[in-house]
């Protein structure tokens, strides 16, 4: 079956609510779908754009294109939306595949939450406050900010941070000032590793473990010695050295699927997007009239615009010849795993919503009791980045390693019954932010007119985060709408990461 029509539900004369959007409301003329035709029976037909991939990048692209009046089809191979930030059922529990957080400086992701009407379900801390437990010394420290301008907002916290010596704290301050002077977009920085830079600026192994890697591993999914200096500089400059509240932490108080699947699907439906799940694209090719032919099992869709919002290796397999000058560079963008450990106790063992840890294999621990729907006891989720050595470890081995560590960190866990213990594994959770990765990341545009790329792995300037995914979708939509000479004033405007 060949369709020049996407078969989207008609707009039924509805004009989108434009409250709070830059540029005001579009006129009905602006909303006329690009390339709309009618079949022999007079039905609306014609897919102006096809977005391949229903993760955050793809959903963002589809919404942005639909908001500009295009008729959009979104194709997702999985039976749900959300990409690698999703939920599933385990008995009575609703489980996130992994703990995902964002920062106040993640302005594009916050826009996305507003767009799907979910911001109230994933609020941000009033003020940065991260409890840090040292398992070896049985001591609690805190990283928190004051209501002071940068860099004084963190000065008091650093001055009293118990996991570093007085000399180490002073050297951290000097390194932070040096970091603030770096330009993350400088290609020279992309080729260097962050660990060597820290060592040159007087940072001890203890300072790297207790501070720099505490933040960097969670945001970059790499230890300092394995991370691009350019990406690390971007993370620390944007999160800690730009605005006082930039690093305030936000996270979903509901299952991720409620946001990235349920509310996202509702927003897509309201925007008139045709969303097809379990629709894995097998190929894309040029049509005789210069458009695109997208093949899925049982259907061929023709469109003027195609956005590939899938992982880099899948993108490589779908790209037509000549779309990128060096397509094999995509295969050189390595991936890095994240392991998530889930423990359900028969009683409350953690009073805080989350904490970070040092001196132990445990990295970050979150209380997911309420979000999961657990009626009795407490459900903790451990997020373990840079999990290359453990991603394939048997569950029994992980249980033997991590339950004693949790008891060491949480005295209340002693004697508590473990009612469930399971793991989720994302073997390709992020792209690896290794030195030199920046030159491998392509932008939104390709050499082929009407074909665009999106995904956290593209050239957003950010590491592989939800923020990067949303920014990539906005960039892809902007490029497509610019080529089509369609309205772009409704698109979220963000500053470049290097600014």
């Amino acid at each position: 079956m060949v369709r020049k029509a996407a078969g989207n539900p008609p707009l039924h004369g509805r004009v989108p609510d434009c409250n709070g959007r830059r540029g005001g409301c579009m006129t009905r003329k602006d909303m006329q779908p690009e390339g709309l035709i009618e079949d022999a029976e007079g039905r609306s037909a014609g897919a102006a754009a096809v977005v391949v991939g229903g993760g955050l990048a793809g959903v963002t692209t589809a919404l942005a294109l639909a908001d500009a009046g295009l008729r959009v089809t979104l194709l997702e191979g999985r039976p749900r939306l959300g990409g690698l930030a999703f939920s599933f059922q385990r008995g009575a529990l609703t489980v996130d595949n992994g703990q995902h957080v964002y920062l106040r400086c993640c302005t594009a992701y916050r826009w996305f939450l507003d767009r799907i009407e979910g911001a109230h379900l994933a609020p941000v801390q009033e003020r940065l406050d991260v409890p840090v437990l040292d398992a070896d010394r049985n001591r609690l420290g805190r990283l928190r900010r004051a209501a002071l301008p940068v860099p004084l907002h963190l000065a008091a916290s650093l001055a009293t941070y118990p996991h570093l010596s007085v000399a180490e704290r002073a050297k951290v301050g000097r390194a932070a000032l040096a970091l603030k002077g770096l330009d993350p977009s400088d290609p020279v920085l992309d080729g260097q590793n962050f660990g060597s830079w820290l060592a040159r600026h007087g940072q001890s192994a203890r300072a790297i473990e207790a501070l720099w890697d505490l933040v960097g591993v969670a945001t970059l999914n790499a230890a300092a010695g394995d991370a691009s200096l350019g990406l690390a500089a971007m993370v620390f400059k944007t999160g800690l050295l730009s605005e006082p509240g930039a690093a305030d932490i936000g996270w979903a108080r509901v299952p991720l699927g409620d946001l990235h699947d349920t509310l996202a699907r509702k927003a897509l439906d309201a925007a008139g997007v045709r969303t097809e799940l379990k629709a894995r694209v097998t190929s894309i090719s040029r049509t005789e009239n210069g458009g695109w032919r997208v093949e899925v099992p049982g259907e061929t869709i023709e469109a003027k615009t195609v956005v590939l919002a899938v992982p880099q290796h899948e993108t490589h397999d779908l790209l037509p010849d000549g779309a990128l000058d060096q397509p094999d560079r995509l295969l050189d963008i390595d991936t890095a795993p994240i392991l998530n450990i889930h423990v359900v106790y028969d009683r409350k063992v953690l009073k805080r919503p989350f904490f970070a840890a040092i001196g132990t294999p445990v990295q970050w621990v979150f209380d997911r009791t309420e979000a999961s729907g657990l009626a009795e006891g407490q459900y903790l989720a451990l997020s373990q980045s840079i999990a290359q050595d453990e991603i394939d470890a048997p569950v029994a081995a992980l249980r033997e390693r991590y339950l004693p560590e949790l008891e060491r960190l949480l005295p209340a866990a002693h004697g508590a019954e473990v009612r469930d213990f399971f793991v989720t594994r994302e073997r390709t959770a992020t792209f690896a932010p290794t030195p030199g990765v920046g030159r491998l990341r392509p932008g939104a545009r390709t050499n082929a007119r009407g074909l665009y790329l999106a995904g956290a792995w593209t050239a957003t300037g950010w590491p592989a985060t939800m923020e990067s995914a949303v920014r990539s979708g906005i960039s892809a939509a902007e490029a497509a709408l610019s080529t089509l000479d369609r309205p772009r004033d409704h698109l979220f405007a963000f500053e470049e990461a290097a600014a």
Side-chain angles (χ1 to χ4, degrees):
M1 175 172 61
V2 178
R3 289 190 184 178
K4 292 185 179 178
N8 292 9
L11 293 173
H12 298 302
R14 293 173 298 170
V15 177
D17 178 11
C18 300
N19 290 337
R21 298 188 191 177
R22 297 188 303 113
C25 287
M26 294 181 290
T27 66
R28 202 166 296 277
K29 179 179 179 181
D30 290 332
M31 292 174 59
Q32 179 64 30
E34 182 75 21
L36 187 64
I37 63 173
E38 290 185 344
D39 63 17
E41 298 179 10
R43 293 186 297 246
S44 293
V50 171
V51 178
V52 182
L56 295 182
V59 172
T60 298
T61 307
L63 288 172
L65 294 178
D67 287 347
L70 272 69
R71 190 165 293 273
V72 182
T73 296
L74 176 63
L75 303 172
E76 168 55 52
R78 300 180 180 90
R80 53 158 180 79
L81 300 175
L84 293 178
F86 66 93
S87 306
F88 63 93
Q89 290 299 127
R90 181 180 173 87
L93 290 183
T94 304
V95 177
D96 289 347
N97 70 311
Q99 179 62 52
H100 293 259
V101 303
Y102 69 100
L103 305 181
R104 193 181 296 277
C105 63
C106 295
T107 51
Y109 181 69
R110 290 169 58 204
W111 166 87
F112 176 84
L113 290 176
D114 283 335
R115 180 64 182 79
I116 64 172
E117 300 182 355
H120 64 291
L121 300 175
V124 180
Q125 290 177 314
E126 183 177 345
R127 189 173 295 177
L128 174 70
D129 188 357
V130 180
V132 183
L133 286 170
D134 184 342
D136 290 333
R137 303 179 184 181
N138 191 27
R139 193 169 187 181
L140 174 67
R142 305 188 86 92
L143 291 173
R144 48 189 170 186
R145 72 172 177 90
L148 295 170
V150 174
L152 299 177
H153 66 311
L154 295 174
S157 177
L158 182 60
T160 58
Y161 190 53
H163 305 321
L164 298 179
S165 67
V166 174
E168 286 171 330
R169 294 175 209 162
K171 290 179 180 179
V172 163
R174 289 194 290 271
L177 291 176
L179 194 65
K180 188 173 175 60
L182 297 180
D183 177 4
S185 66
D186 184 347
V188 173
L189 301 190
D190 177 56
Q192 301 176 29
N193 79 75
F194 186 40
S196 296
W197 185 92
L198 288 174
R200 291 196 302 272
H201 286 79
Q203 302 307 289
S204 66
R206 174 67 178 180
I208 292 174
E209 177 200 9
L211 184 63
W212 298 104
D213 269 354
L214 189 76
V215 176
V217 166
T219 52
L220 295 164
N221 197 15
D226 299 320
S228 157
L229 174 57
L231 280 174
M234 180 267 143
V235 165
F236 284 94
K237 283 191 65 173
T238 304
L240 297 177
L241 300 171
S242 59
E243 298 290 337
D248 299 345
I249 298 174
W251 68 94
R253 305 315 201 265
V254 297
L256 287 172
D258 288 7
L259 298 173
H260 301 159
D261 187 8
T262 303
L263 287 184
R265 181 62 184 269
K266 181 180 178 181
L268 290 164
D269 289 346
V273 175
R274 173 198 175 198
T275 303
E276 294 293 337
L277 304 179
K278 299 181 181 179
R280 187 166 296 280
V281 173
T282 57
S283 69
I284 62 172
S285 58
R286 276 292 193 192
T287 62
E288 293 181 358
N289 64 4
W292 292 99
R293 182 181 297 108
V294 181
E295 302 280 355
V296 296
E299 183 177 3
T300 299
I301 304 173
E302 293 187 0
K304 192 169 185 179
T305 298
V306 172
V307 179
L308 295 179
V310 292
Q312 58 268 34
H313 289 195
E314 188 176 345
T315 296
H316 176 271
D317 293 341
L318 291 173
L319 279 175
D321 290 342
L324 292 180
D325 291 334
Q326 295 177 289
D328 287 350
R329 281 190 169 191
L330 300 188
L331 302 179
D332 293 332
I333 303 175
D334 290 333
T335 59
I338 295 178
L339 176 70
N340 295 276
I341 296 171
H342 309 262
V343 187
V344 179
Y345 290 100
D346 68 338
R347 68 193 70 170
K348 191 177 183 70
V349 300
L350 173 64
K351 297 179 181 179
R352 305 176 181 87
F354 72 93
F355 70 91
I358 58 176
T360 169
V362 175
Q363 295 176 15
W364 289 75
V365 180
F366 283 79
D367 179 5
R368 299 301 296 170
T369 306
E370 183 176 354
S372 70
L374 182 67
E376 183 181 355
Q378 188 172 34
Y379 165 25
L380 302 184
L382 285 64
S383 181
Q384 302 293 118
S385 300
I386 55 172
Q388 287 85 344
D389 294 339
E390 292 187 321
I391 193 64
D392 294 315
V395 173
L398 295 170
R399 180 185 179 112
E400 184 177 352
R401 183 179 196 193
Y402 281 96
L403 287 183
E405 290 297 322
L406 283 173
E407 290 185 2
R408 194 154 70 104
L409 290 162
L410 303 171
H414 286 278
E417 177 190 347
V418 177
R419 291 183 169 172
D420 199 3
F421 182 101
F422 59 99
V423 302
T424 50
R425 311 172 198 261
E426 292 298 339
R427 291 176 174 82
T428 58
T430 69
F431 71 83
T434 50
V437 73
R439 65 181 179 82
L440 304 176
R441 300 171 71 184
R445 294 182 181 272
T446 71
N447 297 332
R449 183 179 176 86
L451 179 64
Y452 307 92
L453 306 179
W457 55 273
T458 60
T460 64
W462 285 67
T465 56
M466 297 188 295
E467 175 73 6
S468 183
V470 173
R471 284 179 177 240
S472 77
I474 295 169
S475 295
E478 200 283 333
L481 295 174
S482 176
T483 298
L484 294 170
D485 196 24
R486 298 290 296 182
R488 303 190 300 283
D489 287 347
H490 68 288
L491 294 178
F492 174 73
F494 51 78
E495 294 183 1
E496 294 301 322

